Amino acid sequence: MGETDGTSPVHEPSLDEQIAVYQREFQDLDPQVEKVVSALSRLNRRMNVAYGRQTAALGISNAEWEVLKALVISGAPYRMGPSELAKQLGLTPAAMTHRIDRMTAEGLVTRERDESNRVRVIVELTDEGRSKWLDAMRAATVFEEDLLQDLSTAERGVLGDMLTRLLDRVEDLQARG
Amino acid sequence: MGETDGTSPVHEPSLDEQIAVYQREFQDLDPQVEKVVSALSRLNRRMNVAYGRQTAALGISNAEWEVLKALVISGAPYRMGPSELAKQLGLTPAAMTHRIDRMTAEGLVTRERDESNRVRVIVELTDEGRSKWLDAMRAATVFEEDLLQDLSTAERGVLGDMLTRLLDRVEDLQARG
DNA sequence: TGTGTAGAGTTAAGCATCGAACTTTAGGCA
DNA sequence: TGCCTAAAGTTCGATGCTTAACTCTACACA
């Protein structure tokens, strides 16, 4: 085909190559900082692809899995309102309405009016939804254990700690401006 | 309004609360692993929100910024084909076509046929596109430096190193299955 | 009791993305 | 030369998301 010069398929640049170019193009760049944020971004994209394959194999989407997770995390009896769900998942209420439509049709959740406050709606996990969550969770933990395989227990602790600190920091920044 | 019981606004559970519930609901969960992956996921969502605000302030979207970045990283003369771009950004060629349409209309890139191989198309960064990239980059680095503020130089190095190892690992897993 | 306001959720219209089918060009091989 | 296959990009139809407008209920306050 075209100009396959022998060794350049499509060649996504490696992290270090990417940072080297950035430094050429943008002098006051801290390569250490850039390495952290670029790795975070790439890592997350790849992880989402991996999760997507697993959930697809179970007949649900990543989007639906997010909803199942939020409901389980809310604890028994696994009920939340659409707005609350939307806030946690970073969606608009409109998107949440549609997502709940689909998941209701698939039997993963039920939707009913709150009789004690008729403006509200209660989304509740069904047994099937809970079981799907469990299946997805099992697959996810296998993958996650695999992912962290090269890190010692001590390193995992340090990593978790540092990421938590970044998370606190970003929430702080969010709150201010 | 509703049942504001005084201290539960919408209450997104903290990372530790979330993991505590997960352990109740799913016995064989490694809390250390879960903490790492959950923090990664949350962190990335928040960072994307932050980047989104910055790019919006510049009159572009995060999606467009991703394209600008890829073109700059490819190095001068800042040219790539649509498929190559699509692969790096994790999009389908169809989506890339439309995105390039929009960015061409906005003057951020140009699109022309490759005369030496008329099946191909060359997307090239314009001066305006390069300048937008620079503006976004300046804003991003300020944010990123802020984000990592609580980590020492040594810690940043360790974090970058660990994330790179995870990235290598996930690429490995991707390649296999 | 009535009115105004605010919050929860849905509906409607527009846009970005996806998967699949299609067009065009390049190159291999008879 | 002519055919066949593969690759690049676009077009088409469907899906899920966004913003904005709207409905309905609850509560505050006169």
Side-chain angles (χ1 to χ4, degrees), chain A residues 5 9 12 18 23 34 47 49 51 59 65 69 90 116 134:
Chain A
D5 68 1
E12 170 169 24
Q18 165 176 335
Q23 279 191 285
E34 196 57 28
M47 287 175 67
V49 170
Y51 287 131
W65 188 39
K69 279 197 285 191
S116 72
L134 197 57

Side-chain angles (χ1 to χ4, degrees), chain A residues 82-83 94 97 111 119 121:
Chain A
S83 316
T97 293
R111 163 162 42 191
V119 156
V121 165

Side-chain angles (χ1 to χ4, degrees), chain B residues 65-170:
Chain B
W65 189 39
E66 293 292 327
V67 177
L68 299 180
K69 279 197 285 193
L71 284 167
V72 170
I73 291 172
S74 79
Y78 313 117
R79 296 163 158 234
M80 293 177 74
S83 315
E84 199 178 346
L85 277 168
K87 262 174 216 156
Q88 287 197 21
L89 305 189
L91 293 180
T92 59
M96 206 61 234
T97 293
H98 297 313
R99 207 180 269 191
I100 294 168
D101 285 348
R102 297 191 292 275
M103 294 181 70
T104 301
E106 290 165 357
L108 299 171
V109 301
T110 58
R111 163 162 44 192
E112 59 184 67
R113 286 219 103 73
D114 181 346
E115 287 306 330
S116 71
N117 181 339
R118 304 186 39 71
V119 154
R120 299 205 167 180
V121 165
I122 299 175
V123 177
E124 181 172 339
L125 196 60
T126 63
D127 288 345
E128 185 184 344
R130 194 170 190 300
S131 143
K132 282 283 184 191
W133 169 80
L134 196 57
D135 291 341
M137 200 67 191
R138 277 195 262 264
T141 52
V142 169
F143 163 70
E144 290 161 359
E145 182 54 53
D146 242 27
L147 177 67
L148 296 194
Q149 182 183 283
D150 295 342
L151 268 57
S152 70
T153 301
E155 286 177 319
R156 295 176 186 194
V158 170
L159 179 56
D161 185 58
M162 288 197 287
L163 291 175
T164 304
R165 283 158 65 197
L166 291 188
L167 193 56
D168 289 345
R169 180 78 187 137
V170 81

Side-chain angles (χ1 to χ4, degrees), chain A residues 87-101:
Chain A
K87 262 173 215 158
Q88 286 197 21
L89 304 189
L91 294 180
T92 59
M96 207 60 235
T97 293
H98 298 314
R99 208 180 268 191
I100 294 168
D101 286 347

Side-chain angles (χ1 to χ4, degrees), chain A residues 26-46:
Chain A
F26 184 74
Q27 274 68 25
D28 29 342
L29 181 79
D30 182 333
Q32 212 177 26
V33 171
E34 196 57 28
K35 184 156 186 164
V36 169
V37 298
S38 295
L40 277 174
S41 159
R42 280 201 194 190
L43 188 53
N44 227 76
R45 189 174 323 161
R46 306 288 162 88

